[in-house]
Amino acid sequence: MAPPNEALPETTGWSDWQGSPKDVARWLFWVQLRGLVNPDRPDTLARFYPLWRAQYAVARRQRALMADEYRRWLGHADEALVSEAYRIAFRVHLEELLLGKLTPQNWPNWLTLEGRANLDAALARGKGAILVFPHAGNFMLMHAVMGLLGHAYTQYAARGMAPPEVARAHADVFANNRWRREARAAREENEDRLPIRFISLDTSVRELYRCLARNELVGIAFDGRIGQRWAKVPYLDRTALLNPGPWRLAASTGAALLPTFLECPEGAPNVCRFGEPIVGTDAAALQDAALAGAIEPWLRAHPEHYGIWLAHCRERAAVDDHPLFLDYAPDDRWKRWEG
């Protein structure tokens, strides 16, 4: 999808406040609820977790898309799987309200780390490490904790509002009004309080090379929809368009790929699990080792963590020329990436 990094010109009239009930709810959540969250009291936030059922009840169209995505991937989509995906997604969003309030003292209330020896081993090589992960679970907490532990951490991510031409062409998905802009601004202001750095397409990729040369951490969600190059890849028993950037970056720098997984167990803190480092000089082999060897097996074991991202991408399939999966591409624009 086009990088959401440019806002439409702001207006000040009443019409700029006209938005859907969903836009207003988003504003109440990201702007108003944030002030009530206490990172030292997990029990307080946990009282809101059951509200996932309300989101599940009203998201009928999205639920149907999610169920279809599960059927295309797993061959089934029972109600328990879809509802669990909503439970996890709602909790993840609630806990993102904590980001600007986390400290070295209170972050263990929300996240535990497993496989830290793998992280240490990746950095011990002196060539940096690329934390490569799917959009599953609370990866924003992982970003925060890496910085709070003292690591120099740079996350490649889409930020800001959709470009004007994209917002106008797909107003149902990327409506631009004051509700949405203030919610986005509040969200990113909180992220900017973290001791990490975010970069996007407007920053040269050479900066990632410099980070790794300094033996720092770089985070990349391999299934993200921003990028300048796309490749057809077998993924989850379908054909996907994925950015080859992580594998090419690792191959050319010698940095270790570190598969990273975020689990959201009910009634317990999130778990960040680091897989074994993957090293090599062939981008195609690195991609296969990371996807088929580590990431896909984890996703098959934890499919409920991936449902909201599958539905999110499905809803935006017509926005650009690189839908996540080709079996729902609305036209043949994706063919520019063949060969």
Side-chain angles (χ1 to χ4, degrees):
M1 292 164 194
N5 56 9
E6 181 181 351
L8 289 171
E10 293 193 20
T11 60
T12 56
W14 165 250
S15 62
D16 194 41
W17 286 102
Q18 292 181 338
S20 69
K22 188 174 180 179
D23 293 336
V24 178
R26 181 183 288 111
W27 179 84
L28 289 170
F29 185 90
W30 293 109
V31 178
Q32 299 300 313
L33 183 58
R34 189 180 303 274
L36 303 178
V37 174
N38 184 348
D40 299 314
R41 293 288 306 276
D43 58 313
T44 302
L45 193 61
R47 295 173 185 170
F48 292 95
Y49 291 164
L51 293 177
W52 70 264
R53 294 181 178 86
Q55 182 184 29
Y56 176 82
V58 301
R60 294 182 179 179
R61 179 178 181 276
Q62 187 185 61
R63 279 188 356 235
L65 292 176
M66 184 187 296
D68 187 57
E69 284 296 286
Y70 277 133
R71 282 189 290 269
R72 291 172 187 239
W73 169 22
L74 302 172
H76 66 87
D78 57 67
E79 184 177 350
L81 176 59
V82 174
S83 62
E84 180 67 358
Y86 274 91
R87 179 195 71 79
I88 290 171
F90 189 80
R91 173 177 162 178
V92 165
H93 280 125
L94 272 176
E95 291 175 347
E96 285 184 16
L97 297 174
L98 297 162
L99 291 179
K101 301 180 179 185
L102 294 174
T103 68
Q105 292 72 42
N106 64 32
W107 72 257
N109 292 334
W110 307 95
L111 186 73
T112 61
L113 299 177
E114 295 187 5
R116 290 183 70 173
N118 290 328
L119 174 62
D120 294 340
L123 290 174
R125 301 178 63 256
K127 296 184 178 183
I130 303 169
L131 275 59
V132 61
F133 56 91
H135 278 85
N138 204 332
F139 47 85
M140 290 303 300
L141 277 183
M142 179 270 289
H143 301 343
V145 171
M146 290 299 97
L148 292 168
L149 285 173
H151 293 292
Y153 183 90
T154 298
Q155 176 62 37
Y156 182 68
R159 305 189 84 202
M161 299 292 288
E165 65 278 8
V166 175
R168 282 190 288 267
H170 303 278
D172 56 329
V173 176
F174 296 117
N176 190 301
N177 53 56
R178 190 62 60 88
W179 301 107
R180 288 202 179 201
R181 285 198 299 273
E182 290 197 2
R184 170 58 64 175
R187 188 172 183 175
E188 294 187 0
E189 179 184 4
N190 232 34
E191 293 173 357
D192 289 339
R193 295 176 186 170
L194 299 175
I196 66 172
R197 184 171 57 147
F198 292 92
I199 68 170
S200 192
L201 278 178
D202 55 356
T203 302
S204 170
V205 70
R206 297 306 307 176
E207 183 58 26
L208 297 180
Y209 283 81
R210 287 189 281 268
C211 292
L212 295 172
R214 295 191 295 265
N215 199 32
E216 297 176 359
L217 297 178
V218 168
I220 301 177
F222 71 90
D223 55 0
R225 310 320 297 156
I226 65 169
Q228 297 176 331
R229 181 179 296 183
W230 304 91
K232 291 170 60 178
V233 176
Y235 178 54
L236 301 183
D237 301 319
R238 299 162 75 181
T239 301
L241 285 177
L242 298 179
N243 188 331
W247 336 118
R248 294 166 61 92
L249 183 63
S252 60
T253 63
L257 285 171
L258 198 67
T260 303
F261 310 109
L262 280 299
E263 299 170 17
C264 188
E266 190 166 11
N270 297 273
V271 177
C272 176
R273 194 182 312 277
F274 298 111
E276 294 186 4
I278 302 171
V279 180
T281 57
D282 181 88
L286 288 170
Q287 172 189 283
D288 186 63
L291 289 181
I295 292 168
E296 290 186 82
W298 183 87
L299 286 171
R300 289 191 179 94
H302 303 85
E304 65 279 2
H305 286 70
Y306 210 37
I308 204 69
W309 183 247
L310 293 175
H312 172 89
C313 292
R314 180 71 173 273
E315 288 176 316
R316 290 156 175 76
V319 170
D320 47 40
D321 61 9
H322 48 276
L324 179 57
F325 290 106
L326 296 186
D327 57 18
Y328 56 63
D331 50 52
D332 62 1
R333 287 176 295 164
W334 65 268
K335 290 185 177 181
R336 65 173 295 203
W337 304 110
E338 285 189 309

